[in-house]
Amino acid sequence: MSHALLGKWMLAYDGAVASDVFKALADPTRRRILDELVERDGQSLFEICARLTAKHGLGLSRQAISQHLAVLEDADLIRTRREGRYKFHDLNTEPLERIIARWLRPDAPERTP
């Protein structure tokens, strides 16, 4: 595959990935989940539910939080790992880094306030 075609394919792929990320970030509950994982990575569903209730007053069911986690996982913003019967959720910032890098201009002059 030529470099030009590869570049166009990557832009299309990044666009699809970016839309998943933006969709995932559009919901305030999902942003709070990410905030909690920034503060303490590797949490179980139970821990995430408890923190959302205690810190944010969110009384969502475990099923609702699980559905939010599935959207975040589909967007690759979180990754899961199993240890025995427990499933832990880890933050993955790579999709955000790709989005930021896409629009960064290394040759742009620095802005002053």
Side-chain angles (χ1 to χ4, degrees), residues 64-98:
I65 299 299
S66 184
Q67 290 172 346
H68 283 297
L69 289 168
V71 172
L72 292 168
E73 190 172 10
D74 288 345
D76 200 28
L77 289 168
I78 63 169
R79 295 194 175 148
T80 59
R81 58 187 163 81
R82 287 205 175 269
E83 291 181 17
R85 29 178 257 196
Y86 297 100
K87 183 177 180 182
F88 296 96
H89 303 83
D90 296 299
L91 180 65
N92 178 33
T93 59
E94 290 172 14
L96 296 170
E97 293 165 8
R98 285 193 302 267

Side-chain angles (χ1 to χ4, degrees), residues 2 9 11 14 25 37 44 47 53 58 64 69-70 76 79 88:
S2 76
W9 178 83
L11 280 176
D14 284 345
L25 294 174
L37 291 174
S44 68
E47 291 171 305
T53 300
L58 294 176
L69 289 168
D76 200 28
R79 295 194 175 148
F88 296 96

Side-chain angles (χ1 to χ4, degrees), residues 11 14-19 21-22 25 95-108 111:
L11 280 176
D14 284 345
V17 171
S19 65
V21 171
F22 289 127
L25 294 174
L96 296 170
E97 293 165 8
R98 285 193 302 267
I99 288 170
I100 291 168
R102 178 177 177 175
W103 286 296
L104 281 180
R105 293 185 306 175
D107 58 337
R111 296 180 190 179

